[in-house]
Amino acid sequence: MKALVFNGPGQIIYEDFPDPKIDDDRNLIIQVKKCSICGSDLHPYHGDKIGRADYSKPVEKFCTGHEIIGEVVEIGKAVRNHKVGDNILIEGGVGCGDCVNCRKGSANICTAYAQGRIGTAYGLSAKLQGGHSEYFQVHNADLGAMKIPAGISDEQAILLTDALATGYYGVKTARVKAGDVVGVIGQGPVGLMAAESAYAAGASKVYTIEPNEARREKSKRFGAIPLEPEMAVPTILEDTKRLGIDAVIDAVGKATTIKQAIKLAKFGGRVSILGIIQPEATLSLYYAQMKSVTIHAGIVGISGMWTELLPLVQHGKIKGENVFTHHFDLKDGAEAYRVFESQDDGVMKIMMTP
Ligand SMILES: [Zn+2]
Ligand SMILES: [Zn+2]
């Protein structure tokens, strides 16, 4: 088959790659219908680190991508919830499928991953091939994939594989409740989905903080108040008589944005960090402690969000609109990565078709 293959930082090449073969009875194979590039795919692309992986050093080639939907073409003997011909959406993260955490949809805290026995997400190493490809093996398919219900668009289905589930996880871990005033730092796809999810959870006001003007404007559509980063602290402190806000979701994960999140939170407020923090990032927790701010930093367990999220999408409480700005054929994936990385041309999220 053809696939986008990681050949080193900055080098995503559309080339021949071995077809996937079912290597566990719980797995299945799909023909990929659509796939997208996630912000975290840019960490290998930039030669950064994720978990135990350091992409600045030579690594075995692998297919990229963990935001995937497609049609089931072959199933393993132990698969119960799917059949050939089904259109399914796939959880971007993978666990062992056996431990207590995997069974409740929290592959992010899988015990086998904690012990270093398995990979964490598709398309980040040769251990778990990604789905920027014509065919793709879904692991633990009964737990980590869902049939796409009627009325869910391809765009919404792809958002449920990662960005929307991650944004919603930020809202849950920041414990947003009805009436809360919320700030979301970063208005890439995850931040935008966090802002929309905050309203769905009953937030009375959402500030969205983002340097890129085109991105800043998007959240206005569902009523958020966009702010440039330099204006966020003075504006929000003035609006709240210097008290700060109930909850802040950081979809960037840099030391500067985490510091800003702590500044924006009220005494006793909550901060949830979604952006992948680089190991070198350092910051003092002095103000967090002085303000008794609770900080949550984590990686979403995607399928664990679906039960709550799906009805919100089906009933139009979360629309996930205006996220996909660009469409490419998979064969032009190298260009798609370049455009996505540049943030030029108003790019927000890219849909690719094999
Ligand atoms: Zn992702
Ligand atoms: Zn597990």
Side-chain angles (χ1 to χ4, degrees), residues 38-41 66-67 162-163 166:
C38 173
S40 59
D41 292 323
H66 58 257
E67 300 190 348
D162 188 353
T166 303

Side-chain angles (χ1 to χ4, degrees), residues 196-277:
E196 193 171 7
S197 298
Y199 277 116
S204 60
K205 195 189 265 189
V206 178
Y207 294 96
T208 50
I209 299 146
E210 161 67 46
N212 177 316
E213 189 185 355
R215 291 188 167 197
R216 208 162 52 228
E217 291 302 299
K218 282 185 188 266
S219 62
K220 273 189 182 170
R221 293 190 185 235
F222 44 77
I225 302 159
L227 296 171
E228 291 180 55
E230 315 76 69
M231 293 310 296
V233 172
T235 305
I236 290 173
L237 289 185
E238 190 183 321
D239 286 359
T240 57
K241 302 195 174 66
R242 304 206 64 77
L243 288 176
I245 54 182
D246 301 294
V248 185
I249 297 161
D250 178 6
V252 180
K254 294 191 168 149
T256 47
T257 57
I258 300 169
K259 272 183 210 159
Q260 187 178 48
I262 294 167
K263 277 189 193 164
L264 294 175
K266 69 178 187 184
F267 278 59
R270 289 97 57 192
V271 168
S272 175
I273 305 164
L274 298 175
I276 302 283
I277 304 167

Side-chain angles (χ1 to χ4, degrees), residues 94-103 106-107 109-113 118:
V94 187
C96 69
D98 288 325
C99 74
V100 63
N101 293 327
C102 279
R103 289 190 175 277
S106 299
I109 48 173
C110 168
T111 53
Y113 172 54
I118 57 160

Side-chain angles (χ1 to χ4, degrees), residues 256-308:
T256 47
T257 57
I258 300 169
K259 272 183 210 159
Q260 187 178 48
I262 294 167
K263 277 189 193 164
L264 294 175
K266 69 178 187 184
F267 278 59
R270 289 97 57 192
V271 168
S272 175
I273 305 164
L274 298 175
I276 302 283
I277 304 167
Q278 288 303 295
E280 303 76 26
T282 54
L283 80 157
S284 162
L285 293 177
Y286 175 76
Y287 289 105
Q289 185 176 41
M290 289 303 114
K291 293 169 75 175
S292 299
V293 167
T294 305
I295 300 178
H296 183 284
I299 309 280
V300 63
I302 292 165
S303 61
M305 301 293 122
W306 288 341
T307 329
E308 287 179 34

